[in-house]
PDB file of all heavy atoms in Angstrom:
ATOM      1  N   THR J 599      90.818 109.823 108.229  1.00 96.00           N
ATOM      2  CA  THR J 599      90.877 110.708 109.390  1.00 96.00           C
ATOM      3  C   THR J 599      91.310 110.024 110.687  1.00 96.00           C
ATOM      4  O   THR J 599      91.915 110.662 111.551  1.00 96.00           O
ATOM      5  CB  THR J 599      89.496 111.355 109.625  1.00 96.00           C
ATOM      6  OG1 THR J 599      88.514 110.314 109.814  1.00 96.00           O
ATOM      7  CG2 THR J 599      89.097 112.208 108.422  1.00 96.00           C
ATOM      8  N   ASN J 600      90.990 108.752 110.861  1.00 96.00           N
ATOM      9  CA  ASN J 600      91.302 108.050 112.105  1.00 96.00           C
ATOM     10  C   ASN J 600      92.789 107.699 112.158  1.00 96.00           C
ATOM     11  O   ASN J 600      93.281 106.974 111.297  1.00 96.00           O
ATOM     12  CB  ASN J 600      90.450 106.784 112.201  1.00 96.00           C
ATOM     13  CG  ASN J 600      90.558 106.104 113.549  1.00 96.00           C
ATOM     14  OD1 ASN J 600      91.478 106.354 114.317  1.00 96.00           O
ATOM     15  ND2 ASN J 600      89.607 105.225 113.832  1.00 96.00           N
ATOM     16  N   PRO J 601      93.531 108.186 113.151  1.00 95.00           N
ATOM     17  CA  PRO J 601      94.969 107.874 113.220  1.00 95.00           C
ATOM     18  C   PRO J 601      95.266 106.401 113.478  1.00 95.00           C
ATOM     19  O   PRO J 601      96.405 105.974 113.287  1.00 95.00           O
ATOM     20  CB  PRO J 601      95.452 108.740 114.391  1.00 95.00           C
ATOM     21  CG  PRO J 601      94.237 109.017 115.205  1.00 95.00           C
ATOM     22  CD  PRO J 601      93.105 109.077 114.243  1.00 95.00           C
ATOM     23  N   ALA J 602      94.272 105.627 113.885  1.00 94.00           N
ATOM     24  CA  ALA J 602      94.479 104.202 114.146  1.00 94.00           C
ATOM     25  C   ALA J 602      93.908 103.328 113.033  1.00 94.00           C
ATOM     26  O   ALA J 602      93.807 102.116 113.191  1.00 94.00           O
ATOM     27  CB  ALA J 602      93.844 103.811 115.471  1.00 94.00           C
ATOM     28  N   ASP J 603      93.551 103.930 111.891  1.00 96.00           N
ATOM     29  CA  ASP J 603      92.918 103.184 110.807  1.00 96.00           C
ATOM     30  C   ASP J 603      93.641 103.457 109.493  1.00 96.00           C
ATOM     31  O   ASP J 603      93.479 104.528 108.899  1.00 96.00           O
ATOM     32  CB  ASP J 603      91.439 103.571 110.698  1.00 96.00           C
ATOM     33  CG  ASP J 603      90.670 102.677 109.746  1.00 96.00           C
ATOM     34  OD1 ASP J 603      91.284 101.764 109.151  1.00 96.00           O
ATOM     35  OD2 ASP J 603      89.447 102.870 109.601  1.00 96.00           O
ATOM     36  N   LEU J 604      94.428 102.486 109.044  1.00 97.00           N
ATOM     37  CA  LEU J 604      95.164 102.619 107.787  1.00 97.00           C
ATOM     38  C   LEU J 604      94.900 101.443 106.857  1.00 97.00           C
ATOM     39  O   LEU J 604      95.668 101.204 105.924  1.00 97.00           O
ATOM     40  CB  LEU J 604      96.679 102.696 108.067  1.00 97.00           C
ATOM     41  CG  LEU J 604      97.161 103.776 109.029  1.00 97.00           C
ATOM     42  CD1 LEU J 604      98.667 103.630 109.251  1.00 97.00           C
ATOM     43  CD2 LEU J 604      96.842 105.162 108.505  1.00 97.00           C
ATOM     44  N   LYS J 605      93.835 100.708 107.098  1.00 97.00           N
ATOM     45  CA  LYS J 605      93.648  99.450 106.375  1.00 97.00           C
ATOM     46  C   LYS J 605      93.268  99.652 104.912  1.00 97.00           C
ATOM     47  O   LYS J 605      92.474 100.535 104.568  1.00 97.00           O
ATOM     48  CB  LYS J 605      92.613  98.574 107.066  1.00 97.00           C
ATOM     49  CG  LYS J 605      91.260  99.188 107.317  1.00 97.00           C
ATOM     50  CD  LYS J 605      90.363  98.191 108.035  1.00 97.00           C
ATOM     51  CE  LYS J 605      89.080  98.855 108.510  1.00 97.00           C
ATOM     52  NZ  LYS J 605      89.308  99.716 109.676  1.00 97.00           N
ATOM     53  N   GLU J 606      93.864  98.793 104.080  1.00 98.00           N
ATOM     54  CA  GLU J 606      93.512  98.724 102.672  1.00 98.00           C
ATOM     55  C   GLU J 606      92.340  97.753 102.515  1.00 98.00           C
ATOM     56  O   GLU J 606      91.740  97.329 103.513  1.00 98.00           O
ATOM     57  CB  GLU J 606      94.724  98.266 101.855  1.00 98.00           C
ATOM     58  CG  GLU J 606      95.895  99.266 101.819  1.00 98.00           C
ATOM     59  CD  GLU J 606      95.715 100.360 100.768  1.00 98.00           C
ATOM     60  OE1 GLU J 606      94.588 100.502 100.240  1.00 98.00           O
ATOM     61  OE2 GLU J 606      96.698 101.069 100.479  1.00 98.00           O
ATOM     62  N   LEU J 607      92.030  97.361 101.290  1.00 98.00           N
ATOM     63  CA  LEU J 607      90.907  96.467 101.022  1.00 98.00           C
ATOM     64  C   LEU J 607      91.386  95.031 100.824  1.00 98.00           C
ATOM     65  O   LEU J 607      92.582  94.737 100.907  1.00 98.00           O
ATOM     66  CB  LEU J 607      90.138  96.949  99.791  1.00 98.00           C
ATOM     67  CG  LEU J 607      89.414  98.293  99.921  1.00 98.00           C
ATOM     68  CD1 LEU J 607      88.708  98.638  98.618  1.00 98.00           C
ATOM     69  CD2 LEU J 607      88.422  98.268 101.068  1.00 98.00           C
ATOM     70  N   ILE J 608      90.447  94.136 100.573  1.00 97.00           N
ATOM     71  CA  ILE J 608      90.732  92.736 100.287  1.00 97.00           C
ATOM     72  C   ILE J 608      90.147  92.402  98.914  1.00 97.00           C
ATOM     73  O   ILE J 608      89.316  93.145  98.384  1.00 97.00           O
ATOM     74  CB  ILE J 608      90.157  91.814 101.375  1.00 97.00           C
ATOM     75  CG1 ILE J 608      88.650  92.030 101.540  1.00 97.00           C
ATOM     76  CG2 ILE J 608      90.884  92.040 102.700  1.00 97.00           C
ATOM     77  CD1 ILE J 608      88.005  91.096 102.558  1.00 97.00           C
ATOM     78  N   PRO J 609      90.559  91.291  98.280  1.00 97.00           N
ATOM     79  CA  PRO J 609      90.150  91.015  96.882  1.00 97.00           C
ATOM     80  C   PRO J 609      88.653  90.956  96.645  1.00 97.00           C
ATOM     81  O   PRO J 609      88.187  91.298  95.544  1.00 97.00           O
ATOM     82  CB  PRO J 609      90.808  89.649  96.611  1.00 97.00           C
ATOM     83  CG  PRO J 609      91.965  89.582  97.533  1.00 97.00           C
ATOM     84  CD  PRO J 609      91.526  90.314  98.771  1.00 97.00           C
ATOM     85  N   GLN J 610      87.871  90.515  97.627  1.00 96.00           N
ATOM     86  CA  GLN J 610      86.432  90.337  97.410  1.00 96.00           C
ATOM     87  C   GLN J 610      85.727  91.630  97.012  1.00 96.00           C
ATOM     88  O   GLN J 610      84.647  91.583  96.419  1.00 96.00           O
ATOM     89  CB  GLN J 610      85.780  89.752  98.671  1.00 96.00           C
ATOM     90  CG  GLN J 610      86.099  88.291  98.925  1.00 96.00           C
ATOM     91  CD  GLN J 610      87.367  88.095  99.734  1.00 96.00           C
ATOM     92  OE1 GLN J 610      88.230  88.968  99.765  1.00 96.00           O
ATOM     93  NE2 GLN J 610      87.494  86.949 100.384  1.00 96.00           N
ATOM     94  N   PHE J 611      86.309  92.783  97.320  1.00 97.00           N
ATOM     95  CA  PHE J 611      85.691  94.054  96.960  1.00 97.00           C
ATOM     96  C   PHE J 611      85.669  94.287  95.452  1.00 97.00           C
ATOM     97  O   PHE J 611      84.980  95.197  94.977  1.00 97.00           O
ATOM     98  CB  PHE J 611      86.420  95.211  97.639  1.00 97.00           C
ATOM     99  CG  PHE J 611      85.941  95.490  99.032  1.00 97.00           C
ATOM    100  CD1 PHE J 611      86.483  94.825 100.112  1.00 97.00           C
ATOM    101  CD2 PHE J 611      84.943  96.416  99.266  1.00 97.00           C
ATOM    102  CE1 PHE J 611      86.049  95.072 101.403  1.00 97.00           C
ATOM    103  CE2 PHE J 611      84.482  96.672 100.544  1.00 97.00           C
ATOM    104  CZ  PHE J 611      85.036  95.994 101.616  1.00 97.00           C
ATOM    105  N   PHE J 612      86.392  93.480  94.707  1.00 97.00           N
ATOM    106  CA  PHE J 612      86.485  93.666  93.266  1.00 97.00           C
ATOM    107  C   PHE J 612      86.003  92.439  92.497  1.00 97.00           C
ATOM    108  O   PHE J 612      86.227  92.340  91.303  1.00 97.00           O
ATOM    109  CB  PHE J 612      87.940  93.981  92.877  1.00 97.00           C
ATOM    110  CG  PHE J 612      88.505  95.159  93.614  1.00 97.00           C
ATOM    111  CD1 PHE J 612      89.167  94.998  94.817  1.00 97.00           C
ATOM    112  CD2 PHE J 612      88.348  96.447  93.116  1.00 97.00           C
ATOM    113  CE1 PHE J 612      89.674  96.091  95.503  1.00 97.00           C
ATOM    114  CE2 PHE J 612      88.848  97.539  93.794  1.00 97.00           C
ATOM    115  CZ  PHE J 612      89.510  97.362  94.990  1.00 97.00           C
ATOM    116  N   ASP J 613      85.324  91.524  93.194  1.00 95.00           N
ATOM    117  CA  ASP J 613      84.878  90.277  92.581  1.00 95.00           C
ATOM    118  C   ASP J 613      83.374  90.102  92.775  1.00 95.00           C
ATOM    119  O   ASP J 613      82.923  89.731  93.862  1.00 95.00           O
ATOM    120  CB  ASP J 613      85.635  89.096  93.197  1.00 95.00           C
ATOM    121  CG  ASP J 613      85.263  87.778  92.546  1.00 95.00           C
ATOM    122  OD1 ASP J 613      84.794  87.802  91.389  1.00 95.00           O
ATOM    123  OD2 ASP J 613      85.427  86.726  93.191  1.00 95.00           O
ATOM    124  N   PRO J 614      82.568  90.374  91.730  1.00 94.00           N
ATOM    125  CA  PRO J 614      81.106  90.229  91.865  1.00 94.00           C
ATOM    126  C   PRO J 614      80.667  88.816  92.231  1.00 94.00           C
ATOM    127  O   PRO J 614      79.558  88.631  92.753  1.00 94.00           O
ATOM    128  CB  PRO J 614      80.588  90.619  90.467  1.00 94.00           C
ATOM    129  CG  PRO J 614      81.669  91.479  89.885  1.00 94.00           C
ATOM    130  CD  PRO J 614      82.958  90.919  90.422  1.00 94.00           C
ATOM    131  N   LYS J 615      81.498  87.801  91.982  1.00 91.00           N
ATOM    132  CA  LYS J 615      81.113  86.422  92.279  1.00 91.00           C
ATOM    133  C   LYS J 615      81.186  86.116  93.772  1.00 91.00           C
ATOM    134  O   LYS J 615      80.428  85.296  94.274  1.00 91.00           O
ATOM    135  CB  LYS J 615      82.014  85.450  91.504  1.00 91.00           C
ATOM    136  CG  LYS J 615      81.816  85.486  89.991  1.00 91.00           C
ATOM    137  CD  LYS J 615      82.705  84.445  89.325  1.00 91.00           C
ATOM    138  CE  LYS J 615      82.504  84.440  87.817  1.00 91.00           C
ATOM    139  NZ  LYS J 615      83.390  83.434  87.156  1.00 91.00           N
ATOM    140  N   SER J 616      82.117  86.725  94.479  1.00 89.00           N
ATOM    141  CA  SER J 616      82.305  86.392  95.893  1.00 89.00           C
ATOM    142  C   SER J 616      82.051  87.553  96.836  1.00 89.00           C
ATOM    143  O   SER J 616      81.892  87.346  98.035  1.00 89.00           O
ATOM    144  CB  SER J 616      83.740  85.883  96.122  1.00 89.00           C
ATOM    145  OG  SER J 616      84.683  86.899  95.825  1.00 89.00           O
ATOM    146  N   GLY J 617      82.008  88.771  96.314  1.00 92.00           N
ATOM    147  CA  GLY J 617      81.916  89.931  97.177  1.00 92.00           C
ATOM    148  C   GLY J 617      80.537  90.244  97.702  1.00 92.00           C
ATOM    149  O   GLY J 617      80.400  90.979  98.688  1.00 92.00           O
ATOM    150  N   VAL J 618      79.496  89.691  97.070  1.00 94.00           N
ATOM    151  CA  VAL J 618      78.126  90.001  97.506  1.00 94.00           C
ATOM    152  C   VAL J 618      77.913  89.551  98.951  1.00 94.00           C
ATOM    153  O   VAL J 618      77.322  90.267  99.763  1.00 94.00           O
ATOM    154  CB  VAL J 618      77.100  89.342  96.563  1.00 94.00           C
ATOM    155  CG1 VAL J 618      75.690  89.498  97.127  1.00 94.00           C
ATOM    156  CG2 VAL J 618      77.171  89.961  95.174  1.00 94.00           C
TER     157      VAL J 618
END
Side-chain angles (χ1 to χ4, degrees):
T599 58
N600 188 343
D603 189 359
L604 305 176
K605 55 181 170 286
E606 293 277 13
L607 294 180
I608 56 177
Q610 287 88 337
F611 275 87
F612 305 90
D613 183 23
K615 293 183 179 179
S616 63
V618 172

